[in-house]
Amino acid sequence: MQVLYFAWVRERIGLPKERVETQAATPRALVEELRAREPRYAAAFADTAALKVALDQELAEWDAPLAGVREVAFFPPMTGG
């Protein structure tokens, strides 16, 4: 699946997106897999309470199923002004 990173998540990981092969059933499980990769992922996902997740461009919960999902995006909440 395609994984997209935005704002400071992208800065900490050093990539805007990447293709990820995963057996994770939920975004929460995917984050655990990514954290285990290397320190930059662990730093980017240290506080998931400060992040939102979207599945195929729709906001989703951390325990939503990933079955059939083509794109996962991680980003901090946005504020307008």
Side-chain angles (χ1 to χ4, degrees):
M1 79 180 42
Q2 187 83 347
V3 179
L4 308 175
Y5 308 111
F6 293 93
W8 51 263
V9 181
R10 176 179 55 214
E11 291 170 9
R12 291 177 186 170
I13 292 173
L15 298 169
K17 63 182 175 179
E18 65 181 319
R19 194 112 183 102
V20 173
E21 296 295 326
T22 183
Q23 296 300 314
T26 66
R28 188 180 315 281
L30 176 59
V31 164
E32 290 305 317
E33 284 182 11
L34 293 171
R35 278 184 185 146
R37 282 182 159 187
E38 55 187 87
R40 63 188 174 140
Y41 290 92
F45 294 110
D47 182 12
T48 56
L51 290 175
K52 297 283 187 186
V53 62
L55 306 179
D56 290 333
Q57 301 182 8
E58 296 284 336
L59 280 176
E61 298 295 326
W62 287 97
D63 292 322
L66 287 180
V69 170
R70 294 179 310 256
E71 180 184 275
V72 178
F74 297 108
F75 52 94
M78 303 296 174
T79 59

